[in-house]
Amino acid sequence: PVNNITDWGVKQFREHYSNPKLTRRQIFSYIYAVLHHPEYRRKYELNLKRDYPRIPFYADFHQWASRGQKLLALHIGYENAAPYPLQTVRRERKQVAAEKYNVPKTILKANPAAGEIVLDEETKLIGIPKEAWEYKIGKRSALERILDQYKEKKPRDKTVAGKFNTYRFADYKEHVIDLLQKICTVSTETMKILGEMKE
């Protein structure tokens, strides 16, 4: 395995905090928390777009490392997160317009203002809290990125489209519902941790 924290980097942290026992894992967790710090990201937004991040030394190393450990556990272990109790609203089949092959039309549209996600013309998730939309990866919320990943895309190549384009959202709908509930939990818990970062 390759260490993400160089010997030089470890030396800088140990000397600054006068603690020769700081580990690479602790330092990595500290850095992960700092890179999520809303004020840090706002202040250095332009620099982060064109250069490597420069990591400040905040007063309480262990507090920041602890926050980083919590964030890492959430983000790496998202598949094991407890599903957020969103309500799944399903319309009766007779209320849905008849579709080819009797499969409801895929929509996959987020509506943050209403706190809902419309999956297809017969299923939507409601009760998504405001803070769940606030956790963003890049410029889009984590929830919206999940929707992007599961959209049906038709290949331009006719051969590929005709023979190999077998993906249908309907086959994965229940999995996506479960995943969105878990990502909702991860997003809300992440925002709680970010809210603690007042420094």
Side-chain angles (χ1 to χ4, degrees):
V2 177
N3 285 317
N4 290 308
I5 312 297
T6 65
D7 291 340
W8 178 86
V10 172
K11 183 173 181 287
Q12 301 305 306
F13 274 88
R14 287 176 175 174
E15 288 181 354
H16 179 84
Y17 292 105
S18 302
N19 186 346
K21 295 184 178 180
L22 291 182
T23 66
R24 279 183 165 81
R25 183 177 292 273
Q26 288 174 314
I27 294 168
F28 185 87
S29 298
Y30 173 95
I31 293 171
Y32 196 75
V34 170
L35 292 176
H36 278 79
H37 184 197
E39 182 58 26
Y40 172 86
R41 293 172 78 145
R42 185 200 62 77
K43 185 175 181 180
Y44 299 106
E45 181 180 7
L46 293 178
N47 301 70
L48 292 170
K49 288 179 180 178
R50 59 179 181 237
D51 200 359
Y52 292 112
R54 295 169 187 260
I55 305 300
F57 293 121
Y58 289 144
D60 191 336
F61 174 88
H62 291 289
Q63 183 182 54
W64 284 88
S66 175
R67 290 169 178 161
Q69 288 172 359
K70 291 176 184 176
L71 288 171
L72 283 164
L74 279 170
H75 299 166
I76 294 172
Y78 70 92
E79 291 180 324
N80 298 318
Y84 197 91
L86 301 178
Q87 185 179 348
T88 304
V89 178
R90 301 179 192 267
R91 297 168 64 189
E92 294 288 338
R93 170 65 73 180
K94 62 184 179 182
Q95 294 177 276
V96 180
E99 290 293 319
K100 190 176 182 181
Y101 306 121
N102 205 29
V103 175
K105 182 180 177 182
T106 301
I107 298 174
L108 293 175
K109 185 175 180 182
N111 186 347
E116 66 180 32
I117 290 173
V118 179
L119 298 173
D120 56 32
E121 61 183 350
E122 69 175 18
T123 312
K124 69 179 178 178
L125 299 175
I126 63 174
I128 302 170
K130 179 184 175 183
E131 56 269 24
W133 303 104
E134 294 173 357
Y135 174 52
K136 298 186 183 297
I137 301 172
K139 293 186 177 181
R140 293 174 65 75
S141 71
L143 292 170
E144 290 170 305
R145 285 189 171 272
I146 295 296
L147 298 182
D148 289 343
Q149 289 177 5
Y150 282 91
K151 285 181 178 174
E152 295 177 7
K153 302 174 180 74
K154 188 172 182 178
R156 293 181 181 177
D157 186 291
K158 291 182 179 179
T159 303
V160 173
K163 294 186 176 181
F164 305 106
N165 187 30
T166 59
Y167 170 73
R168 297 291 177 269
F169 169 73
D171 298 333
Y172 296 88
K173 184 164 76 171
E174 298 307 316
H175 166 74
V176 172
I177 290 173
D178 181 62
L179 182 57
L180 287 168
Q181 290 176 314
K182 291 177 178 180
I183 295 300
C184 190
T185 295
V186 169
S187 297
T188 54
E189 291 301 313
T190 294
M191 293 310 300
K192 284 180 186 177
I193 296 169
L194 299 189
E196 297 171 2
M197 299 179 177
K198 304 296 184 183
E199 192 168 330

